[in-house]
Amino acid sequence: MATEMQRFGTSEDDDEDMGLGVKEEDENDSIEENNTTSIMMGVDGGLASSSNGNRFQQHQQFQELQTPQAGARRCRPLEEKERTKIRERQRRAVTAKILAGLRRHGNYNLRVRADINDVIAALAREAGWVVLPDGTTFPARSQGTRPAGGGTSTTALTSTSSDMPMEQTPPISLRGICSDYKSPVEYNAGHMKGVFVPSSSPYDVSSSARSQTSAMGGDGGAAENHPLIGGSMDSVENKMVANIPQKLQERDFVGTPYIPVYVMLPLGVINMKCELVDPDSLVKQLRVLKSINVDGAMVDCWWGIVEAHSPQEYNWSGYKRLFQIIRELKLKLQVVMSFHECGGNIGDDVCIPLPHWVAEIGRANPDIFFTDREGRRNPECLSWGIDKERVLRGRTAVEVYFDYMRSFRVEFDEFFEDGIISMIEIGLGPCGELRYPSNPVKHGWRYPGVGEFQCYDQYLLKSLRKAAETRGHSFWAHGPDNAGSYNSRPHETGFFCEGGDYDGYYGRFFLNWYSQVLVDHADHVLYLAKLAFEGTCIAAKLSGNHWWYKTTSHAAELTAGFYNPSNRDGYAAIMAMLKKHDAAINFTCAEWGMLDQHVGFSEALADPEGLAWQVLNAAWDVCIQVASENAIPCHDREGYSNILLRAKPLNDPDGRHFCAFTYLRLGPLLMESHNFVEFERFVKRMHGEAVLDLIS
């Protein structure tokens, strides 16, 4: 039993701290008491209608049931009692974490020994309801007006409970339209983080959206047609398809904050000789973008091009010409310090490897690259294990990065002084993102595999051994041996499955170390970037590993270096580190609402929107600026509307919004007339300007 208690991370001493005040034996006692009461009632009833002889026999039976021997027979086996205790402690631990999160992030004034009733009451009051001390609950406004929280009165819920259980059938506004509704099966698969999720899009047809628009769900907003307000769900279901409007209403963004829009230039705009490719066509396209008030362009400065042949010999010639064109057109620049290779990933249409001299070192010492459990090397970027190892011709990896950034700052000083360069994004891993290369396509990974841990080069293993010895458990100096392979599912592994080793003593140690290496790498590089680009905004790119987010382990995030299972906030430490360097984040999951259209989405128990709001709230809570870009191609109005609704959250109490948005990417498809018209419309709305064809 002690082992089981340790596994759940609780102890006997924790019970009082959680403030729940529930004894394990209460359930057993109440069962026995109920049994006794029912027996007494049965006996008394018999006494009132039977003869004296029968009355005596029944009374004798009742007395026998009161003996210790009978009580022993009624008690459940000891093992079952112990299991009940463990389940109760686990439930208390979850409740305690919910209360702690609400106190810390939601400013809820919950007492130390708050129970679930206090939590429900606090949330109801937050949603605009009145909760009396005796538990009576009703809307703060009149019965005819539905509260902002999207709920109904308790009377309405009671009147329909027999026909339509709330947990099984969502309201029409959520069925077939809104991606936020989750069935009980989906919720049981994992617990979503408690974060602020603003009023959703008009495509979600949430209650708050209905307060601004009409007839979104085909019921005209009438209470008599709503299944939760006295209506019939059968009649609603029969009319669902017919009543969904052909054109969905759009939110008006006139007067909303101005969000700059940048366009990512093609990956091959600079060739391997550091020459600008087809400058005349590029100038024409940039002029067209300027004509619709696009703010600027984003471009990768590839390490494999600039420092290709020899250490500290930099060739910036192609970038100089490109930057001059950008300045002449009075556009701004976002520049990416790309310390990774290009090619082999989704969307890569060119091949730009790491510098030749780095590849030569890698052939002699392949441990400079990330390595999986099978010993396969990934030359996409350098292992973080050599950040402070002098294995690159006498320099450490962070020194190489710093020299490169300092050379760029000196070479393009005039563009910094003139304010042409508005942001520098620092590449921190594969695809320029802060993560481990845990899901490489070149090694056979396919969505939605959990990926693999990438810590088996000699330098990271040395760091792991040192951490294990410091902890006093040198036998922990190894990676998990039951974490499956690239394309495993969490339930197929002993490490990621429900109640798996990821939450045991060794698992917690390993994941703490693995994620801390990620944070330390970003900390070291951003510290030097801040020195090199003093006075200019720097940013780190964060990916959205959203598959398996609805499971308890969040396996895809764990292998990528984000220690973010359902019982832990894996992004707070990252945001604290970014805050220390005044760095922004560029989050690459802006069109979350569209991703549920992908094949296999539900099978992967993915939740891109849940993950995105967790990351955004973690950043905004410490006042970090958030930029974003689309992760998949977008050319239609619905996709743009999804981006807009995330960029400018409706009813955010602090008025938070993206600081910039980058569109991926400039090319012939974007310049097609029908696509470009929609893009121009999108830019205007991001700028808070009026559009003539708004559907209202």
Side-chain angles (χ1 to χ4, degrees):
M1 184 186 74
T3 303
E4 288 293 326
M5 289 164 57
Q6 292 169 352
R7 181 176 173 185
F8 291 121
T10 62
S11 66
E12 297 278 5
D13 298 331
D14 292 334
D15 295 346
E16 287 299 326
D17 295 338
M18 292 174 184
L20 300 176
V22 179
K23 299 297 182 183
E24 291 86 347
E25 293 80 12
D26 286 352
E27 183 179 356
N28 297 335
D29 294 343
S30 62
I31 292 173
E32 292 177 19
E33 185 177 4
N34 290 337
N35 289 341
T36 301
T37 303
S38 63
I39 293 170
M40 291 178 66
M41 292 176 63
V43 171
D44 291 344
L47 289 171
S49 60
S50 62
S51 64
N52 289 339
N54 290 337
R55 185 182 299 118
F56 175 79
Q57 291 178 352
Q58 291 172 345
H59 182 69
Q60 187 177 25
Q61 291 173 358
F62 173 72
Q63 291 295 332
E64 291 174 355
L65 288 174
Q66 302 304 305
T67 62
Q69 290 79 6
R73 287 195 300 271
R74 290 197 308 276
C75 289
R76 290 180 295 175
L78 180 61
E79 294 80 2
E80 187 172 351
K81 279 191 174 184
E82 296 300 336
R83 286 196 296 270
T84 300
K85 291 180 182 180
I86 292 172
R87 286 195 298 270
E88 180 63 24
R89 290 194 182 97
Q90 185 182 22
R91 184 188 66 78
R92 295 183 201 177
V94 172
T95 304
K97 288 170 184 173
I98 293 174
L99 296 175
L102 289 173
R103 292 191 195 99
R104 178 180 176 186
H105 302 294
N107 294 323
Y108 289 99
N109 187 20
L110 295 171
R111 58 191 177 91
V112 174
R113 293 181 175 271
D115 59 18
I116 193 64
N117 292 333
D118 297 313
V119 176
I120 294 173
L123 295 176
R125 293 188 184 103
E126 179 77 9
W129 292 70
V130 174
V131 181
L132 300 181
D134 65 354
T136 303
T137 304
F138 53 87
R141 287 169 277 182
S142 64
Q143 289 290 345
T145 303
R146 196 173 173 191
T152 60
S153 69
T154 52
T155 304
L157 290 176
T158 303
S159 65
T160 59
S161 60
S162 61
D163 298 327
M164 186 205 65
M166 274 287 291
E167 66 273 12
Q168 293 181 3
T169 311
I172 181 156
S173 62
L174 300 178
R175 298 190 58 168
I177 302 174
C178 175
S179 60
D180 287 343
Y181 172 72
K182 298 172 181 64
S183 68
V185 175
E186 292 175 80
Y187 272 126
N188 289 336
H191 309 289
M192 182 176 172
K193 305 279 182 177
V195 297
F196 165 73
V197 181
S199 301
S200 195
S201 78
Y203 302 103
D204 294 342
V205 202
S206 67
S207 58
S208 57
R210 280 194 301 272
S211 66
Q212 298 185 0
T213 60
S214 61
M216 292 292 291
D219 57 4
E224 61 270 19
N225 290 333
H226 199 288
L228 296 184
I229 313 179
S232 168
M233 177 54 73
D234 293 335
S235 63
V236 169
E237 288 181 337
N238 292 336
K239 299 177 182 178
M240 273 181 60
V241 177
N243 287 343
I244 294 177
Q246 294 298 315
K247 290 187 177 181
L248 296 172
Q249 295 177 341
E250 298 179 283
R251 179 179 149 200
D252 189 356
F253 288 95
V254 174
T256 56
Y258 183 102
I259 297 180
V261 177
Y262 292 77
V263 175
M264 174 70 82
L265 298 184
L267 291 170
V269 67
I270 303 291
N271 64 22
M272 290 301 298
K273 297 179 181 179
C274 203
E275 299 170 337
L276 182 60
V277 176
D278 197 1
D280 294 336
S281 296
L282 179 63
V283 169
K284 291 178 182 178
Q285 291 178 329
L286 291 175
R287 281 179 178 160
V288 173
L289 293 178
K290 178 64 177 178
S291 71
I292 64 169
N293 295 321
V294 167
D295 295 270
M298 176 181 271
V299 63
D300 289 281
C301 282
W302 295 101
W303 182 32
I305 292 177
V306 175
E307 197 180 0
H309 303 292
S310 300
Q312 295 180 282
E313 290 186 7
Y314 307 104
N315 177 11
W316 300 103
S317 58
Y319 290 104
K320 283 185 178 180
R321 187 174 181 190
L322 173 62
F323 288 12
Q324 289 168 355
I325 291 173
I326 297 291
R327 179 166 58 182
E328 290 170 1
L329 293 173
K330 294 182 170 54
L331 293 169
K332 299 285 187 180
L333 262 173
Q334 291 180 335
V335 183
V336 184
M337 300 285 103
S338 297
F339 297 113
H340 61 284
E341 74 168 14
C342 178
N345 288 308
I346 298 172
D348 292 349
D349 54 6
V350 297
C351 181
I352 305 173
L354 297 185
H356 300 312
W357 59 274
V358 173
E360 291 177 1
I361 296 173
R363 282 190 286 271
N365 180 14
D367 283 293
I368 68 172
F369 301 123
F370 282 107
T371 308
D372 64 19
R373 186 174 181 83
E374 299 297 321
R376 288 168 290 198
R377 315 289 183 172
N378 189 333
E380 186 175 353
C381 60
L382 297 179
S383 167
W384 301 334
I386 64 169
D387 277 358
K388 295 187 176 181
E389 298 285 345
R390 297 192 176 279
V391 295
L392 300 175
R393 305 279 177 88
R395 293 186 294 168
T396 66
V398 293
E399 289 173 345
V400 169
Y401 303 146
F402 178 64
D403 290 342
Y404 182 87
M405 292 186 290
R406 184 171 53 181
S407 172
F408 177 86
R409 179 62 180 82
V410 171
E411 197 70 33
F412 297 98
D413 179 69
E414 58 184 305
F415 295 92
F416 285 95
E417 296 298 326
D418 294 343
I420 303 299
I421 297 176
S422 61
M423 178 183 287
I424 301 291
E425 184 178 297
I426 312 300
L428 296 170
C431 299
E433 299 169 343
L434 178 58
R435 63 175 176 86
Y436 287 87
S438 57
N439 50 352
V441 175
K442 67 181 70 176
H443 290 166
W445 174 86
R446 295 295 181 269
Y447 179 86
V450 298
E452 289 192 20
F453 293 109
Q454 305 289 314
C455 59
Y456 294 94
D457 62 83
Q458 63 167 311
Y459 302 104
L460 284 179
L461 285 177
K462 182 174 71 173
S463 171
L464 179 57
R465 281 195 298 272
K466 182 178 179 181
E469 291 168 359
T470 301
R471 180 67 184 273
H473 302 296
S474 57
F475 54 91
W476 281 353
H478 62 87
D481 55 8
N482 59 346
S485 59
Y486 284 112
N487 293 312
S488 296
R489 280 25 176 188
H491 62 274
E492 299 171 347
T493 73
F495 193 78
F496 299 119
C497 66
E498 181 82 21
D501 291 345
Y502 78 92
D503 203 28
Y505 285 117
Y506 160 74
R508 291 195 293 269
F509 158 77
F510 173 79
L511 292 171
N512 266 309
W513 167 82
Y514 190 72
S515 59
Q516 190 59 46
V517 170
L518 176 145
V519 174
D520 290 343
H521 167 72
D523 189 23
H524 299 150
V525 177
L526 292 178
Y527 172 79
L528 296 176
K530 192 66 177 176
L531 292 177
F533 303 118
E534 186 177 1
T536 302
C537 177
I538 61 173
K541 189 174 183 180
L542 217 59
S543 66
N545 291 48
H546 52 75
W547 53 103
W548 306 118
Y549 188 84
K550 293 180 184 177
T551 63
T552 54
S553 63
H554 292 215
E557 292 173 89
L558 297 186
T559 57
F562 305 116
Y563 189 8
N564 190 51
S566 60
N567 60 354
R568 187 181 189 276
D569 184 358
Y571 296 96
I574 296 173
M575 299 308 167
M577 176 272 301
L578 294 175
K579 179 65 176 178
K580 183 172 70 172
H581 302 295
D582 293 323
I585 66 165
N586 181 8
F587 189 64
T588 60
C589 201
E591 68 285 45
W592 324 307
M594 300 161 53
L595 292 173
D596 57 356
Q597 301 170 5
H598 288 192
V599 176
F601 183 86
S602 59
E603 177 190 351
L605 293 173
D607 189 2
E609 187 151 10
L611 171 61
W613 285 121
Q614 183 192 353
V615 172
L616 295 187
N617 279 279
W620 283 332
D621 282 349
V622 293
C623 300
I624 290 177
Q625 292 191 87
V626 178
S628 190
E629 61 186 45
N630 53 305
I632 59 178
C634 180
H635 300 288
D636 62 281
R637 186 167 299 187
E638 181 177 353
Y640 287 133
S641 292
N642 274 299
I643 295 172
L644 279 158
L645 289 158
R646 273 64 185 184
K648 303 179 182 185
L650 181 64
N651 295 335
D652 187 302
D654 301 309
R656 301 175 296 191
H657 55 82
F658 290 172
C659 67
F661 178 80
T662 302
Y663 177 84
L664 268 65
R665 74 180 61 243
L666 180 62
L669 196 56
L670 173 63
M671 305 308 289
E672 292 180 3
S673 59
H674 57 286
N675 289 337
F676 195 76
V677 167
E678 286 297 329
F679 181 67
E680 178 182 8
R681 187 177 185 275
F682 167 71
V683 172
K684 286 183 178 180
R685 302 183 79 196
M686 288 290 277
H687 289 171
E689 300 174 8
V691 292
L692 299 178
D693 59 341
L694 184 69
I695 303 173
S696 59

